[in-house]
Amino acid sequence: MNIKNIQKTLLTLCALVILFNYSCKNKNAIVPKGHETTVVSFELTNFNVPATYYISQDVELAIKGQGFQKDDIISFVPRDSQSPVINIAIKTLSTESIILAPTNELKNGVYTVLIQRGNAQRQLGKTTIYAVFNPNIPDKEGMTVKGSVFSDGKGIANVVVSDGNEVTKTDDKGIYYLPSKKQTGYVFISVPANYEVVNNNGNLPVFYHFLNAIENSVEIKDFELKDVNNENHIVLSLADLHLANRTNDIAQFQNGFVKDINAQIAAFQGQGKKVYGLTLGDLTWDTYWYSNSFMIPEYVKQISHVNAPIFNVIGNHDNDPYIANDWASENAFRNALGPTYYSFNLGKVHYIVLDDTEYINAGGATGIVGSRNYNGKITDQQMAWLAKDLETVTPNTPVIVATHIQIHNAPNEKNNLPGFRISNGDKLVSMLSKFNEVHILTGHTHVNYRVERDNKLMEHNTAAVCATWWWTGNKGYADNHIAPDGSPGGYGIWEMNGDKIKWQYKSIGYEPNYQFRSYDLNNVHITADNYTKNANDQFKKLVPTYAFSFATANKNNEVLINVWGYDPKWTVTVKENGTPLKVERVSSRDPLHIISYGMKRLDLNAEPSFDSANSSHMFKVKASSANSTLDISVTDRFGKEYTERMIRPKAFSYTMR
C-alpha cells in the first residue's frame, strides 16, 4: 500500500472513531452500517470551514472547496456530547463551494464538521456557531466588534456599548461598532432604563460578552433585552459578605441574611416594584480561597438563593492571592461575574460600578499566598472610561456610584469634612461635580457612616452583611450578629420613585424600623470576672485594653444611644418625665460589640483580630436619676420617626435591643 493510500486509510479510521464515540452518546450520530470500514476516496481540495459562523433564522451555510458531491451529507457534531448531531444536505453545489440546506437546528456552540459519503466519513474542520440578530452587518475599517442591541425583534437606539476603553452608542437600527483592541477581553452594554438582560445562574445579569484574543479579527456580539418597567425600583446594597466556609458563615448567611432579604424582596415585589441587588465588594475572603476551597464560583452558588438580579462589585478580598498583578488577579472574578467596572440604568437613575482596589499582593505566586497588600485607587484606565461614560449622561440624572473601598474617611463627632481614603478621590469627586445628585455607596470598613460633601454629593459607607466577619454568631459566641460599630449586620435599602431617592439601613433579623440601640451606662461595666471567666491570666490582663472606657464603672446616670443610620439631617431628642435633656454627639465604641466579640475571643484565650470601632454616630445624655424613664425619639432626614420608651434600669446583655 503506498503512502497516499495509508494516509487515506488513517483519515477514514480517525473519522470513524470520532463518529463512533458520538454514536455511543447520541442516537442521531452517523454510524457506518454494520461498522463497515470501506475506504471511499473523497478527493477534496482547498476546502475551508470558517472558524466562526454568525447565523440567523433559516440560515444557509457555505463551505469552500472542490470535490464535493451532491449526495454528500455535512454533519455538525457538538462539543457538548449531550446535544444531537445536526445532519445537513447540500442545497447548491458549485466548483468552488457548497451551500447547505437551510436549518434552524444549529445552536450557539463549538462543533466538529464532518462529511459523510456513503459509509465513510472525514473531518473537515471545527467551527463556532453564534446565533445573531443580524448576521449581515457590513464591516467597517478599524471596527473589530460590531453587533445589535434588540428587543422583541426590533433594534434599540442609543444604547451605550463599551469594551472598558472605547464607548459608543447604537444607531437607529440598534447597530453598534467598536474599534476595540480587545485588551480587556470583553464588551458590555450599559443596560438602558426599563429593560433587563437575561440572568446567568438564576440572578446574575449577563450584560457582557467575552471576546477572542485576536486583535484585528471582526466579531459580532449581540445583546437581547427584555422590556420591563423599572421606573419605580428598589436597590439593596450589600457590603462585605466575606463568605469563606468558616465561622459557621454559610449557615448564618442562608438562615439569617437570605431569609431576611428574600422577605424584603417579596414585600416590595408585592407592591409591584422591581427589586435588584448591588454588592459592594468582598464577596469572598482571599485568605481562604485555596485553604478552604471557597472562591468566586462558590459565592455564585450561595448568592443564587437571593430572589432578585444581583449586580456585583469587586473588593480587595476578591482577588486571586496567588497572583501579584492587579489586572490578572481579577480574572477569576471576571470569568464568573464579568467586568470589574461598568454602568447600567434603572428607571431614571444611572448606576456606575468601579473597582478602587489596586491589588499588589507582594510575594504572590503559584501555590503561594502573597501579602495581599493593595492601594486604594481607581486606575487611570477606569478613569478614562468613566469620563466617556459620564458624557452619555445628562446633569439632571441622579447618579449612583458603587465601589468597595470608602472614598472618604469616617467623620468625627464635630462632623468636619474628612479627607479622602483613596488616592485619587478628589479627581473622582471633580468628575462627578456636574451632576445635581450623586450618591457613592461603599463598604470595606464593616461600619456605618455617611459623608455629605455638599448638597449634591453624599457617600454612604455601609456596614457589613457579615457584621464582624460572622464571628459573633459563630458557635460558642454571643448568638447575635453585630458589626464593629455596634450596627447589626445588615444592608441598605434604596427606594427609587422616578428621580426621587430614599434610603435606610436594614438590620438582619429585625424590622426595618429598628434604627438605634440605647445603653444604660450605669449597668455597663466590662470586667474579666464578668466576661472572661474561662480565660487564663495572660488573656484576663488584656480585658481593660479591649474594653476601652467601659472597663471602668460609670454610675453617672448616663445613657449612650447608637444611631447607625445617622447623618447630619437626622435629629435625636430625649425627654425625662417630659423635660428635654441635652443630647451630645460623641465618638465612642459600642459596648455590646465589645462583649460579643472582643471579650468572647479573650474568654477562649485568643486575642481579637479586630477592634471595636470608634464611631461618631453615638449620642449621650445625662439623666437626673438611675431609675427615671426616658423617651427617645430619632427622626431621619425623610421625616420618619423611630422611638423607644427606655425603662431604667435597663439590662445590658448579648440579646438586648
Side-chain angles (χ1 to χ4, degrees), residues 126-144:
K126 291 189 176 182
T127 190
T128 302
I129 299 290
Y130 292 105
V132 297
F133 180 69
N134 179 1
N136 301 313
I137 300 174
D139 288 344
K140 284 188 177 181
E141 182 69 27
M143 300 297 172
T144 57

Side-chain angles (χ1 to χ4, degrees), residues 159-162 166-170 176-179 392:
V159 178
V160 174
V161 187
S162 177
E166 304 296 334
V167 175
T168 190
K169 285 185 178 183
T170 57
Y176 73 90
Y177 290 89
L178 269 178
T392 70

Side-chain angles (χ1 to χ4, degrees), residues 495-648:
E495 188 167 1
M496 317 298 189
N497 293 304
D499 58 1
K500 301 294 187 292
I501 301 177
K502 290 185 178 181
W503 59 89
Q504 69 173 161
Y505 183 77
K506 169 67 174 67
S507 301
I508 295 170
Y510 295 92
E511 69 280 4
N513 284 344
Y514 183 50
Q515 293 294 324
F516 68 89
R517 184 189 307 113
S518 64
Y519 297 98
D520 186 347
L521 293 183
N522 288 343
N523 294 328
V524 177
H525 185 201
I526 301 175
T527 65
D529 289 342
N530 288 334
Y531 294 101
T532 59
K533 294 179 180 179
N534 298 312
N536 61 33
D537 289 343
Q538 174 189 348
F539 288 94
K540 284 182 184 291
K541 290 178 181 178
L542 295 176
V543 168
T545 299
Y546 287 99
F548 299 97
S549 62
F550 304 108
T552 302
N554 179 351
K555 299 296 183 180
N556 297 322
N557 299 327
E558 292 180 329
V559 168
L560 183 69
I561 306 168
N562 186 344
V563 186
W564 40 80
Y566 178 80
D567 70 51
K569 288 189 170 61
W570 287 46
T571 60
V572 180
T573 61
V574 181
K575 293 182 179 180
E576 182 184 40
N577 298 323
T579 301
L581 299 179
K582 180 182 178 181
V583 179
E584 179 185 9
R585 185 181 178 187
V586 298
S587 289
S588 174
R589 269 86 180 181
D590 183 274
L592 179 56
H593 182 264
I594 291 172
I595 64 171
S596 297
Y597 175 68
M599 295 303 108
K600 285 291 185 180
R601 292 293 289 161
L602 295 177
D603 197 42
L604 294 171
N605 295 317
E607 196 162 351
S609 301
F610 317 101
D611 280 343
S612 295
N614 194 31
S615 171
S616 67
H617 53 67
M618 301 287 194
F619 300 85
K620 188 177 281 188
V621 297
K622 183 178 176 65
S624 63
S625 74
N627 300 309
S628 59
T629 296
L630 303 184
D631 290 303
I632 304 172
S633 173
V634 175
T635 304
D636 68 21
R637 64 163 49 219
F638 306 111
K640 190 168 185 178
E641 184 181 22
Y642 313 97
T643 63
E644 178 192 358
R645 169 153 280 201
M646 184 183 185
I647 308 298
R648 301 169 57 245

Side-chain angles (χ1 to χ4, degrees), residues 286-287 317 321 323-324 359-365 368-374:
D286 51 352
T287 303
H317 289 294
I323 298 176
Y359 197 66
I360 299 170
N361 193 34
I368 301 173
V369 173
S371 64
R372 301 178 299 111
N373 58 318
Y374 57 90

